[in-house]
Amino acid sequence: MINRPDYIAAIEPFIDKPLVKILAGIRRCGKSTIFEMLREELLRRGIGEDQIVCKRYTEMDIPENITAKQMYDELTAAMAGKGHCYLLLDEIQEITGWEKAVNSLLESADADIYVTGSNSKLMSSEISTYLTGRYVSIPVYTLSFKEYLDFKADSTLSRRELLEEYIRFGGFPIIALSEYDEQSAYQIVNGIYHTVVSRDIVKRHRINKQDLFDRVVKYIIENMGKTFSANSISTFLKSEHRKVSVESIYNYLRWLEQALIIYPCERYDLQGKSILKTQEKYYLADVSLKYALLGYNRKMLDGAMENIVYLELKRRGYDVYIGKNDTKEIDFVATRRDERVYVQVCVRIPEASDREVGNLMEIRDHYPKYVVTLNEMDTGIEDGIRIVHLADFLLAEQW
C-alpha cells in the first residue's frame, strides 16, 4: 500500500471529535485505501484492533435490501463490550437511510465515526438535516501529480516523461500502481465509468433511454472546459434527430455531479464581485475519463491541462471559478479564506498574442498571478506575472 499522507493530515484534526467524518469521491479514487491508512494510524496510536470496526457496504458485501435499522443493530452488536470504538463505514450510500442510523450512533454509541461514499449527496443539505453541524466533509480526488510520482518512485522514467504519462493516463490509483499500455489503461477507466453510470445513475434513477443518456454524456465530456447550456445540448441533439427535453438534460447534469464524475465551475465577475449563474463550465473527476470514452488526440491537450490544474486547485481546498473581467476571461480565480490566486493555462504562449499575460495584467490587485504552460522556453516572470511549467505548478508547496 502506497500512502497518501495529505488525507491522513486532513482527517487528523478531527480524530475523536464528536463529528462524522465524510470522505466522498468518485469510485476507485482510493477511499478504501485511505481507510486502511487510517486504520494503521489508529493502531499506531495504541487503539486495540477489536475497537476498530470496518464495514464495507458495496452491493457484493451486504445482503440485498439491508435496512438502516439492520445496519444500526449490526454495528451496535459489533461494538458491544468494547468501550470506545472507531467505525470505518465504506461506500455507505448503498444503504437507504444510512444517515439516520449514523445519527443514532453518534448520539447514543461510544464511537468515533468515519464514512466514505461515491455520491455527492453525502456532502449535501440532505445530510445536514440529520447531522446538523456534526459532520465534516473531506473530498477525495484521484492522484495529484505529487502522489503519482510517489506511486512511481521505482520508475526509471524522468519527471518530464512521468508528467506526460500522468496527462495521458490520469490519476486513478489502479492505473498508477502498474505498468499499462494506453489501450489497457483506458479499458480499465472505461470499466470504472460504466460501473458508475450503470450502478449510480441509470439504475438508481431508472433511466429508460440509456442510448440517449449516453449521447448526452458524450456531448458533455466532449465539451469539458467549454461553455455550454442545457439548451445548446438540446439544439445539438435535434440536429442529430434525437429529442431530449431541457429538463432531462438538467437532470443528467445533476446526476453526473452527484456521482462525482463532473464538477461545476461557476463564473465570477471580478468587477461586480459576484458569482454569475450562467455559462458555467464543467470539469471531469479525472482527465482519463475523456480519453477512455473518446480516444486521445493532441487537440485535447489544452483542455486536459485545464482539467488537471482545476483539480489541483480543488485538492488544495480552493473554491474555483472562471474569472470574468469586463470582456476578458481568466481561466481560474481560486479563493481560500483570505487568499486568492489567478491562473491562465495554455500548452504554449502564442507568439502573436498577449492574451494569457495581458488578461492577468488588467487585474489591479496584488494576489499571485500565474500562466501555466507546457513549454519550458516560455517560463519566467513578465510584468510581475509568473509563467511556470505545469510540473512546477503542480509540485509547488504553495503559490
Side-chain angles (χ1 to χ4, degrees):
M1 181 176 69
I2 298 170
N3 275 332
R4 300 177 71 182
D6 289 348
Y7 287 102
I8 294 302
I11 294 168
E12 207 163 13
F14 305 106
I15 292 175
D16 279 326
K17 299 293 188 291
L19 298 163
V20 178
K21 279 65 75 172
I22 300 176
L23 285 73
I26 190 172
R27 287 186 186 272
R28 305 307 299 271
C29 70
K31 300 183 297 293
S32 301
T33 303
I34 292 166
F35 262 9
E36 285 179 44
M37 289 159 45
L38 175 59
R39 183 176 177 278
E40 287 185 4
E41 172 64 19
L42 294 172
L43 291 171
R44 191 183 64 76
R45 292 180 176 212
I47 308 300
E49 278 199 45
D50 63 333
Q51 293 171 275
I52 304 171
V53 178
C54 303
K55 184 71 179 172
R56 283 177 60 83
Y57 291 98
T58 63
E59 281 185 354
M60 301 303 292
D61 293 310
I62 55 172
E64 196 172 351
N65 300 322
I66 182 174
T67 66
K69 179 67 167 64
Q70 288 170 312
M71 168 193 165
Y72 173 84
D73 290 343
E74 186 180 74
L75 290 170
T76 304
M79 292 188 291
K82 295 178 181 176
H84 185 63
C85 286
Y86 296 80
L87 298 181
L88 278 55
L89 313 177
D90 202 6
E91 293 296 347
I92 202 167
Q93 80 275 346
E94 300 297 340
I95 309 290
T96 303
W98 67 267
E99 56 272 51
K100 297 175 191 175
V102 166
N103 187 51
S104 295
L105 290 165
L106 187 63
E107 289 184 340
S108 60
D110 185 9
D112 191 22
I113 306 170
Y114 304 80
V115 305
T116 77
S118 307
N119 193 301
S120 66
K121 281 188 176 181
L122 269 72
M123 299 186 287
S124 74
S125 56
E126 295 171 45
I127 303 310
S128 62
T129 305
Y130 292 97
L131 302 174
T132 314
R134 292 183 295 173
Y135 72 99
V136 60
S137 297
I138 300 168
V140 181
Y141 300 95
T142 57
L143 300 178
S144 66
F145 182 50
K146 180 184 171 189
E147 290 173 323
Y148 191 83
L149 293 180
D150 289 341
F151 273 55
K152 296 290 185 181
D154 296 330
S155 174
T156 56
L157 297 178
S158 67
R159 193 181 81 168
R160 179 176 180 157
E161 289 169 322
L162 287 169
L163 177 65
E164 289 172 7
E165 196 177 82
Y166 179 68
I167 293 169
R168 291 287 283 266
F169 289 179
F172 279 107
I174 189 173
I175 306 294
L177 279 169
S178 301
E179 300 297 330
Y180 291 105
D181 60 32
E182 198 169 280
Q183 184 180 350
S184 302
Y186 296 162
Q187 214 171 332
I188 292 166
V189 175
N190 207 292
I192 295 169
Y193 166 79
H194 284 290
T195 300
V196 173
V197 165
S198 61
R199 188 178 299 171
D200 296 344
I201 300 178
V202 173
K203 183 178 171 186
R204 181 165 289 162
H205 299 289
R206 298 183 176 89
I207 295 173
N208 296 321
K209 298 179 181 176
Q210 188 172 345
D211 60 329
L212 195 57
F213 171 74
D214 289 339
R215 184 64 192 95
V216 173
V217 174
K218 188 178 178 186
Y219 179 93
I220 292 164
I221 288 175
E222 281 173 337
N223 290 279
M224 275 298 122
K226 297 177 186 174
T227 300
F228 61 82
S229 66
N231 279 315
S232 66
I233 298 174
S234 179
T235 302
F236 173 78
L237 291 173
K238 277 178 189 169
S239 73
E240 293 189 338
H241 309 292
R242 298 168 186 256
K243 190 176 180 183
V244 59
S245 71
V246 170
E247 185 185 356
S248 292
I249 292 166
Y250 277 124
N251 284 334
Y252 295 165
L253 284 165
R254 189 172 78 252
W255 296 337
L256 288 165
E257 276 185 59
Q258 287 174 355
L260 298 164
I261 292 177
I262 63 174
Y263 291 92
C265 188
E266 294 176 306
R267 195 172 292 270
Y268 181 80
D269 185 346
L270 292 166
Q271 295 181 338
K273 294 182 169 48
S274 60
I275 295 168
L276 304 172
K277 293 299 180 187
T278 58
Q279 293 189 302
E280 63 187 359
K281 295 182 181 180
Y282 291 89
Y283 291 97
L284 285 162
D286 195 80
V287 290
S288 62
L289 288 160
K290 184 168 186 173
Y291 313 144
L293 292 170
L294 306 176
Y296 176 85
N297 71 64
R298 61 183 178 78
K299 291 178 183 175
M300 295 177 176
L301 196 48
D302 268 307
M305 281 182 65
E306 260 190 52
N307 210 129
I308 286 166
V309 169
Y310 171 82
L311 289 175
E312 187 61 28
L313 291 163
K314 295 287 286 182
R315 269 188 207 98
R316 299 195 190 199
Y318 286 89
D319 293 319
V320 188
Y321 306 96
I322 306 147
K324 178 183 177 293
N325 192 27
D326 195 17
T327 59
K328 305 287 175 67
E329 184 172 290
I330 309 299
D331 288 333
F332 299 119
V333 178
T335 62
R336 186 176 65 184
R337 295 179 291 279
D338 58 349
E339 300 171 43
R340 179 177 288 191
V341 61
Y342 300 98
V343 186
Q344 293 280 59
V345 183
C346 59
V347 174
R348 58 175 59 242
I349 297 176
E351 289 179 23
S353 167
D354 68 347
R355 174 190 174 274
E356 309 300 338
V357 173
N359 286 9
L360 291 172
M361 283 175 62
E362 290 191 18
I363 302 169
R364 305 295 184 189
D365 64 29
H366 299 292
Y367 291 111
K369 299 171 182 69
Y370 288 89
V371 177
V372 178
T373 178
L374 267 184
N375 183 11
E376 289 173 0
M377 299 300 290
D378 282 334
T379 59
I381 295 179
E382 189 174 324
D383 295 308
I385 291 154
R386 298 168 214 180
I387 305 170
V388 299
H389 192 271
L390 176 62
D392 295 324
F393 185 80
L394 296 177
L395 296 174
E397 285 296 318
Q398 60 184 52
W399 298 311

